[in-house]
Amino acid sequence: MNTATYTVTGMTCGHCVSSVKEEVGEVPGVAEVEVDLDSGLLTVRSESPVDGAAITAAVKEAGYQVA
């Protein structure tokens, strides 16, 4: 299992967390997504490495930015 972490900026509430989890969870290959609102930490787990650009694009689609 591969794990990658990112810092997401702009999240202010539980709905923000849900939006990021939903968009990142749709990226092909992603098995598990965790988002911590307080730290902005996004943890992505997958069976094989997932393109960081795809994760960044998914976060942007949700309305936020990867720091």
Side-chain angles (χ1 to χ4, degrees), residues 7-46:
T7 301
V8 178
T9 59
M11 297 186 301
T12 59
C13 64
H15 181 264
C16 301
V17 169
S18 296
S19 295
V20 170
K21 286 179 79 169
E22 181 178 337
E23 290 295 336
V24 173
E26 292 178 4
V27 174
V30 171
E32 184 180 337
V33 180
E34 293 177 18
V35 181
D36 183 76
L37 178 61
D38 293 332
S39 67
L41 191 64
L42 164 64
T43 304
V44 179
R45 291 185 181 82
S46 57

Side-chain angles (χ1 to χ4, degrees), residues 39-61:
S39 67
L41 191 64
L42 164 64
T43 304
V44 179
R45 291 185 181 82
S46 57
E47 292 298 324
S48 59
V50 175
D51 182 17
I55 300 298
T56 300
V59 170
K60 188 172 183 177
E61 182 67 27

